Amino acid sequence: MARDAVAVASALAAYRGRVVPQVRGELMGWRRLTNSIPDPKLRAQARAAIDQKSLNVEATAVFATLPPRSHRAHALRAMVALQVAIDYLDSLGEQPAAEPLANGLQLHRALVAAVTPGADAEDWYRHHAQREDGGYLDALLAACQQGLAALPARAAVLASVQRAARRCGEGQSHTHAAAAASSSQAGPGQLETWARSLGAPAVYRWWEVAAGASSSVAAHALIAAAADPATSPAEAELIDAAYFPPIGALTVLLDDLIDRDEDARAGAHSYIAYYRDGGDAANRLDLLAQLAGAALAPLRHRHRHAAILAGVVGFYLSAEQAETPYARPARARLLGSAGPAVRPIVAVMRRRRKRSEGEVNASGP
């Protein structure tokens, strides 16, 4: 317990003092680059992905507290570029398309290229209505490739991080296809078939597997591992197994938990909606947190990963929407079971959310 508390305090200090300032600098650079996107719709989507989801990038950048300081900058550049690409592609996948699944899968092939140094560019927009991005997506992929290529254990994690990126892209694509055609055979039924094909342990429900697969946290954890010269391929496999399904599933389900009312109004697909009720969701989220903790036990840096898990839970529980009547039982369970570090993280992230909202309001439309 004491080691976990020390790990959390150390991670928070590194995160706030060194990681967040670099993340914000990187995001400013990527937002400036959106000015070069010729297509006005793509330009608007790229800007909105950064402006509206910058907290996603800051949250996933917590993995940059894992690498040695000498390799942190390269790892962080790769992580930021990857998450900005994921958020951008997520925005594109939400747009209407003649073939939603084919469109999503082709767009998200870019994520595998992002973690494959030297990978060739493809026609990512083959099935998309807009195509002219002025090289924006390829620039994101190149930045991720270059950051990863500079890390000492890149070869050790390559197979695992490619699998994690592919899984994330497929998960995002199937999720958007389910949202686009939820009442047809191409909707949730297809999503369930895909999730069951992933061969996860029977303790997980199929939508928890799909949620875990669509998360980006495994890829970020593996990029961080690539910055550690001692990382082996076997350790990379253990890291991937810890983040998929349990930590990834917990991340996505908590995100859907706080977006539940908004998603319901919009008719959007939501993994949390597959649960019978709020009590069932609370029980399963609590179980996922326990499974996540157990999966971290074999890791060499388990206390640092446990600190990140606490950060993930705290990030979502800090949202105002986590205190709705539906979400309150899950919040109470996780505050009690996810470790003593979660409560102070909730307090810190709540202040950050309010500050971020204030900055957005002050900047105007």
Side-chain angles (χ1 to χ4, degrees):
M1 192 71 70
R3 290 190 66 183
D4 288 345
V6 170
V8 169
S10 175
L12 276 174
Y15 176 71
R16 295 179 66 184
R18 293 186 288 272
V19 171
V20 171
Q22 185 179 339
V23 170
R24 291 181 173 179
E26 296 276 344
L27 285 174
M28 287 178 61
W30 289 120
R31 197 185 190 287
R32 282 195 297 270
L33 190 60
T34 64
N35 294 328
S36 66
I37 299 177
D39 187 283
K41 289 186 177 179
L42 292 180
R43 185 168 61 250
Q45 288 164 349
R47 287 177 179 172
I50 292 175
D51 293 344
Q52 297 170 14
K53 301 180 181 181
S54 61
L55 277 178
N56 285 355
V57 185
E58 287 192 19
T60 53
V62 72
F63 287 97
T65 62
L66 289 172
R69 191 176 303 179
S70 58
H71 298 296
R72 182 174 290 157
H74 290 300
L76 186 55
R77 179 156 176 76
M79 291 175 194
V80 170
L82 179 63
Q83 191 60 44
V84 171
I86 288 170
D87 291 338
Y88 172 59
L89 293 172
D90 182 55
S91 297
L92 297 186
E94 292 173 345
Q95 305 306 308
E99 300 179 67
L101 184 57
N103 179 51
L105 290 172
Q106 180 61 22
L107 286 169
H108 284 89
R109 283 172 61 88
L111 299 185
V112 180
V115 296
T116 307
D120 294 331
E122 297 184 26
D123 182 6
W124 314 117
Y125 298 93
R126 182 181 305 161
H127 303 292
H128 199 72
Q130 290 81 40
R131 308 173 59 85
E132 301 301 323
D133 76 350
Y136 176 70
L137 180 55
D138 284 336
L140 287 167
L141 308 187
C144 187
Q145 290 172 358
Q146 291 162 8
L148 186 57
L151 302 179
R154 59 191 179 279
V157 309
L158 184 59
S160 294
V161 75
Q162 287 175 329
R163 181 171 62 247
R166 181 176 296 106
R167 194 172 57 220
C168 175
E170 290 179 357
Q172 294 281 347
S173 301
H174 280 278
T175 300
H176 288 311
S182 59
S183 62
S184 74
Q185 71 276 12
Q190 188 177 53
L191 175 64
E192 179 178 354
T193 299
W194 170 77
R196 293 188 185 282
S197 75
L198 297 177
V203 68
Y204 299 100
R205 297 179 183 175
W206 72 261
W207 61 89
E208 294 167 348
V209 176
S214 64
S215 172
S216 64
V217 291
H220 291 300
L222 288 162
I223 291 173
D228 183 349
T231 300
S232 67
E235 185 178 11
E237 293 287 335
L238 286 174
I239 292 171
D240 190 42
Y243 282 86
F244 172 72
I247 298 178
L250 190 62
T251 301
V252 171
L253 286 162
L254 283 172
D255 187 60
D256 282 358
L257 181 71
I258 66 172
D259 288 344
R260 177 177 176 269
D261 292 343
E262 181 181 345
D263 287 342
R265 287 192 295 268
H269 179 271
S270 173
Y271 284 109
I272 207 76
Y274 288 104
Y275 291 115
R276 183 176 61 254
D277 51 34
D280 185 31
N283 290 337
R284 293 300 299 183
L285 291 176
D286 185 54
L287 175 61
L288 287 172
Q290 295 177 43
L291 291 169
L296 293 177
L299 300 187
R300 183 161 49 96
H301 298 302
R302 60 187 177 277
H303 296 289
R304 298 183 192 176
H305 287 278
I308 288 176
L309 175 58
V312 167
V313 175
F315 171 75
Y316 288 108
L317 296 189
S318 69
E320 182 180 342
Q321 300 93 321
E323 299 189 50
T324 63
Y326 182 94
R328 201 174 295 133
R331 186 179 191 275
R333 292 285 293 273
L334 290 170
L335 282 174
S337 65
V342 172
R343 289 183 184 273
I345 290 172
V346 168
V348 169
M349 290 307 302
R350 182 166 289 175
R351 288 195 295 270
R352 290 191 62 78
R353 285 181 183 276
K354 289 181 178 179
R355 189 180 305 121
S356 178
E357 290 168 2
E359 290 170 356
V360 170
N361 291 336
S363 66

